[in-house]
Amino acid sequence: MPRPSANADTSRRILDTAERLLQTRGYNAFSYADIAQSLRVTKASLHYHFRTKAELGQHLIERYQQSFAEALADIDRTSSDSRQRLRRYIDLYLGVLRDGRMCLCGMLAAEYATLPKSMKTELKKFFDENERWLIEVLEKGRAARELRFSGPARETAMLLISSLEGAMLLARSYDDVARFDATAHGLLAALTVDS
Amino acid sequence: MPRPSANADTSRRILDTAERLLQTRGYNAFSYADIAQSLRVTKASLHYHFRTKAELGQHLIERYQQSFAEALADIDRTSSDSRQRLRRYIDLYLGVLRDGRMCLCGMLAAEYATLPKSMKTELKKFFDENERWLIEVLEKGRAARELRFSGPARETAMLLISSLEGAMLLARSYDDVARFDATAHGLLAALTVDS
DNA sequence: GTCTATAGGTGGATAGAC
DNA sequence: GTCTATCCACCTATAGAC
């Protein structure tokens, strides 16, 4: 995915480090120097693998999106009902937060106005895919009388994404995962038939 | 509020410009040079009014918080019921979004890890005050049977703040205020007795 | 693939004239 | 209060040796 002739493992380690920096500090608040220091290589070496920071950023979103898509596919395969699917969807966010990180795409959404065009395009794909997956879960859940909500499923899907991203943002500012839990609990309770 | 001997009007114009830049680009993505260019003064002149960027940032939060507090007090004075108070609270966010901006404190929450300590402290005060106000509206609304929600009011208050901040984040990425409207509508519907 | 060295630009901040 | 001039650290990115 980076330069075709590059060592895959090195490229992966660069992405891992850049991902952590992006999710904790933001795209505009980390540099090639930060990655280089963490991996004990020079900045010039990083540019061999990812020519520009914009290119690196684009790869980060693509990889994050793919990883998320795989997690969603796993939830689809191994969950029995819609309520469990939603619970596990929320747990994806929780896992990121427990690692001291913000959702990569939520972070980039805040910095949206300053991002290169290629990153803006990739970013929207992530949210579109999340929305698409949630709409299906919500509609099937309502049909099976496992979930309860009024109006179009898309409206509730957008509410879910917004709430979870916002809850991560706030929980990180208070360094308090319990804040996220409380919000997620209220959200799930409002959607569950026997609330 | 800046340097005591500084011209108040000039300081206010600096704050206005910095506020707009912060709300559109983020704290780490604007500079004294940006403000200087917009106001047609030099960077050195800005440093006379606000010695450091951290100091400027702190003043920005304090002013934003005061402005928000006044708006909430106005809602308290001139609203008849809890549902209307919530609607007008949401409209505060909507007004910011319509101006092409993110909530100043939501933006800073994303950049939290990189902020100077003085700004971190002020930031939490903003969210605490919002939470305090919402809890009172929610509890009175439930007692008057105007609002319906389960569990502690604080949980729903945190859900409201998180959802609205998250919805702004997403709506800005899509440059689509309607996305915010849809989320807000779903949120209000879930809390209203006759949904 | 990784290094040294460096270019060319911008960041926040200060000294001192006016 | 605002200016010119400047400092030094940092930024992204490249050239060319090894």
Side-chain angles (χ1 to χ4, degrees), chain B residues 5-7 42 44-45 49:
Chain B
S5 56
N7 180 288
T42 59
S45 171
H49 293 271

Side-chain angles (χ1 to χ4, degrees), chain A residues 36-158:
Chain A
Q37 186 172 35
S38 179
L39 293 178
R40 284 190 241 270
V41 292
T42 58
K43 293 183 289 171
S45 172
L46 300 177
H47 280 286
Y48 170 79
H49 292 271
F50 301 95
R51 283 170 188 75
T52 65
K53 195 182 176 187
E55 195 178 303
L56 171 61
Q58 195 182 331
H59 283 298
L60 283 174
I61 304 177
E62 282 167 7
R63 195 176 71 145
Y64 195 79
Q65 151 76 30
Q66 279 166 23
S67 159
F68 223 88
E70 284 165 24
L72 295 184
D74 184 62
I75 291 176
D76 280 336
R77 267 196 310 275
T78 61
S79 296
S80 50
D81 64 291
S82 301
R83 198 189 174 284
Q84 191 187 4
R85 283 191 171 84
L86 278 190
R87 178 65 250 180
R88 290 185 58 192
Y89 179 77
I90 291 173
D91 285 344
L92 289 180
Y93 286 74
L94 193 55
V96 173
L97 188 62
R98 285 230 172 87
D99 202 21
R101 305 187 188 199
M102 173 65 195
C103 168
L104 185 131
C105 292
M107 183 68 90
L108 291 175
E111 301 178 286
Y112 190 80
T114 69
L115 299 180
K117 194 166 288 181
S118 61
M119 290 182 68
K120 288 183 179 177
T121 305
E122 282 306 313
L123 186 59
K124 279 187 238 189
K125 286 188 197 164
F126 174 82
F127 291 120
D128 287 343
E129 188 54 33
N130 272 262
E131 187 177 303
R132 192 202 58 71
W133 186 85
L134 278 173
I135 287 173
E136 194 178 322
V137 170
L138 287 168
E139 283 178 343
K140 283 187 178 166
R142 181 157 63 178
R145 296 186 209 284
E146 291 162 359
L147 300 176
R148 181 194 57 190
F149 59 92
S150 62
R154 181 164 181 267
E155 196 173 273
T156 299
M158 292 196 299

Side-chain angles (χ1 to χ4, degrees), chain B residues 3-113:
Chain B
R3 168 183 299 238
S5 56
N7 180 288
D9 187 63
T10 304
S11 295
R12 188 186 50 71
R13 278 179 17 239
I14 294 169
L15 287 171
D16 287 343
T17 303
E19 184 179 71
R20 174 176 50 77
L21 288 164
L22 173 41
Q23 290 186 263
T24 49
R25 302 175 52 85
Y27 181 75
N28 291 318
F30 83 90
S31 68
Y32 270 46
D34 294 326
I35 306 171
Q37 187 171 35
S38 179
L39 293 178
R40 283 190 241 272
V41 293
T42 59
K43 291 188 292 171
S45 171
L46 300 178
H47 280 285
Y48 170 80
H49 293 271
F50 301 95
R51 283 170 187 76
T52 66
K53 195 183 177 187
E55 195 178 304
L56 171 61
Q58 194 182 333
H59 282 298
L60 283 174
I61 304 176
E62 282 168 6
R63 195 177 72 146
Y64 195 76
Q65 152 76 29
Q66 278 166 24
S67 159
F68 223 86
E70 283 166 24
L72 296 184
D74 185 62
I75 292 177
D76 279 335
R77 266 196 309 276
T78 61
S79 296
S80 50
D81 64 292
S82 301
R83 198 190 173 286
Q84 191 187 5
R85 283 190 171 85
L86 278 189
R87 179 66 250 178
R88 290 184 59 192
Y89 180 77
I90 291 172
D91 284 343
L92 289 180
Y93 286 74
L94 192 56
V96 172
L97 187 64
R98 286 229 171 89
D99 202 22
R101 305 188 188 198
M102 173 65 194
C103 169
L104 184 130
C105 292
M107 183 69 90
L108 291 175
E111 302 178 287
Y112 190 80

